[in-house]
Amino acid sequence: MSILRDTKVRRGVSLVAGTAALALALVGCSGGGDAEPAPERDLGTPVAGEIKEGALDGVTLTFAGSGGVFQDGQTEALWNPFAEASGAKFNQDAFDAGKLKAMVDSGNVSWDIVNTTQFDTARGCGTLYEEYDYSQIDTSKIPEGTITDDCMVPQILYGLVVVYNTEKFGDNPPTSAADFFDTEKFPGKRTVSQSTYVDPQTVEFALTAQGKDVKTLKPEDIESAFDMYRDLGDDVIGWTTGAQAQQQLEAGEAVMGLVWSGRGYGAAAAGAPVAPMWDEWMIMVDSNGIPKGVKDKQAAFAAVNYSIGAEQQAKMTELTSYGGVNIDAKPQMDEQLTEWMTTEHLDTGIAPNVDFWVDNYDALSAAWAGWATGN
């Protein structure tokens, strides 16, 4: 079995909203106007992973995703089989937050489902994203607690994890978030995100190291978290893309990293002597979001419902190395992938305080901008 490495790019909450004005102009030139309302269809009681044969003949849907082999894996495991079963045509595009806003603002939405973060759908619920009609989605097999707002169905499970060099610390591995900041016990460079993606869970990790409960955060905690990283001094280096984080681990430039789990797996699969720390890791969930103003919500809901079936999720995991969102999914995994699979370690993961970050996003964004630019 061939396992594709993670090359997923985070395209959600960002310091740079994207070229919204240009995207608006492009969307405006794409035609459109008032479309006929989509017909209501009798699709029966929803069952995850199933769709009536030919139920969506003549329908065209577009998924905007993160690109690379991750989106390729989704296409092969989820959307192509759905198209074949339903009769729909399924197009692929690249997600961009600025373009999404331009589409919604212009009333000319050409995407039907997007891959974004749980923070994006929570912040844009009702304005950028449609609320789900959960009577059309079989959520009975979705892991508990992974539906975090009314405008999302989870798409994948992954994590922000400490990855450490086993040649350096194999006999005495880190076992807590606090250990990441203990440079006396664990000497060497650490790598941490300084990308344009505003990542609340990087903040939550530092606060966990302080002994704080992420369920009871306060606005003043935000700067306190960044002070933790700054206090590492010359022992902290930044990564701006997942690929860079992986390369730093592979090259031994960092002996410890706070990175996306798929990137840690990628380094290990490339032969780097690294292992994950599953104590106090941060659970991350991506959303299936439905853009506000989508022309055929029922068809979009049906596609999402199909995508969360056990068989589809198992194949998606096998192709992408990301954890599925169906508790009955049984992907065929080798020993190495099993070691890195987040769904095997949910009992030790920490779920984010999504409501806090929705309410305090502006303060987070400002603090992150200072961190990302070295200020």
Side-chain angles (χ1 to χ4, degrees), residues 12-17 117 119-120 123 196-200 219 222 354-369:
V13 184
S14 174
L15 294 175
V16 181
T117 74
F119 302 106
D120 287 352
R123 292 181 64 236
T196 57
Y197 170 72
V198 180
D199 187 0
I222 297 173
V354 176
D355 290 342
F356 175 83
W357 297 116
V358 170
D359 292 341
N360 294 277
Y361 177 76
D362 289 344
L364 170 63
S365 181
W368 188 275

Side-chain angles (χ1 to χ4, degrees), residues 2-336:
S2 174
I3 302 296
L4 298 179
R5 287 190 211 163
D6 163 29
T7 60
K8 182 170 178 291
V9 179
R10 301 302 298 271
R11 300 179 187 269
V13 184
S14 174
L15 294 175
V16 181
T19 54
L22 175 58
L24 179 57
L26 293 174
V27 170
C29 293
S30 65
D34 294 334
E36 291 293 323
E40 285 295 318
R41 313 167 186 87
D42 180 11
L43 300 181
T45 302
V47 177
E50 297 183 10
I51 183 69
K52 287 183 177 180
E53 185 176 355
L56 298 176
D57 282 339
V59 172
T60 297
L61 296 173
T62 299
F63 173 72
S66 300
V69 295
F70 176 63
Q71 190 165 345
D72 290 343
Q74 290 175 304
T75 300
E76 181 177 344
L78 313 178
W79 309 128
N80 284 350
F82 173 77
E84 182 177 353
S86 69
K89 180 182 178 181
F90 221 104
N91 296 324
Q92 300 292 318
D93 202 355
F95 178 73
D96 176 84
K99 187 174 180 180
L100 172 67
K101 187 176 188 307
M103 286 182 179
V104 173
D105 288 348
S106 71
N108 192 351
V109 176
S110 60
W111 294 338
D112 300 277
I113 307 166
V114 302
N115 175 183
T116 189
T117 74
Q118 64 191 135
F119 302 106
D120 287 352
T121 49
R123 292 181 64 236
C125 191
T127 55
L128 290 177
Y129 298 100
E130 296 279 359
E131 292 189 10
Y132 270 88
D133 176 358
Y134 291 106
S135 70
Q136 298 187 49
I137 310 289
D138 175 12
T139 61
S140 63
K141 301 299 182 179
I142 288 177
E144 183 178 358
T146 56
I147 296 179
T148 51
D149 67 76
D150 293 335
C151 293
M152 69 91 80
V153 166
Q155 185 179 105
I156 55 168
L157 278 166
Y158 57 118
L160 189 68
V161 301
V162 171
V163 177
Y164 63 92
N165 188 300
T166 56
E167 292 180 350
K168 297 286 186 181
F169 309 123
D171 295 332
N172 180 34
T175 58
S176 69
D179 283 345
F180 184 82
F181 297 91
D182 188 343
T183 56
E184 291 188 8
K185 186 176 180 181
F186 300 96
K189 303 285 187 182
R190 281 95 162 106
T191 185
V192 179
S193 175
Q194 287 187 307
S195 73
T196 57
Y197 170 72
V198 180
D199 187 0
Q201 286 155 304
T202 297
V203 175
E204 289 185 335
F205 178 80
L207 297 175
T208 298
Q210 294 179 15
K212 296 184 184 296
D213 184 346
V214 300
K215 296 182 180 65
T216 58
L217 298 180
K218 299 177 181 179
E220 55 266 31
D221 290 332
I222 297 173
E223 281 295 344
S224 175
F226 288 110
D227 287 343
M228 290 278 288
Y229 293 113
R230 293 187 180 98
D231 287 346
L232 289 170
D234 292 339
D235 284 323
V236 68
I237 56 177
W239 56 264
T240 58
T241 67
Q244 184 183 22
Q246 180 175 324
Q247 190 278 329
Q248 289 169 338
L249 292 169
E250 290 181 18
E253 184 179 351
V255 298
M256 201 178 292
L258 185 62
V259 304
W260 300 325
S261 54
R263 286 302 183 177
Y265 167 74
V274 294
M277 183 192 83
W278 290 117
D279 304 273
E280 299 185 327
W281 67 280
M282 317 310 288
I283 298 172
M284 305 183 91
V285 178
D286 270 8
S287 298
N288 282 298
I290 310 296
K292 185 73 174 177
V294 70
K295 300 301 188 291
D296 194 337
K297 283 194 288 186
Q298 187 187 33
F301 292 157
V304 170
N305 184 68
Y306 182 90
S307 76
I308 59 175
E311 180 180 345
Q312 291 83 355
Q313 288 292 299
K315 187 172 183 180
M316 186 273 297
T317 293
E318 292 169 2
L319 292 172
T320 68
S321 82
Y322 279 100
V325 294
N326 186 308
I327 59 175
D328 289 343
K330 304 298 181 186
Q332 298 297 309
M333 301 185 295
D334 61 21
E335 184 177 351
Q336 186 176 58

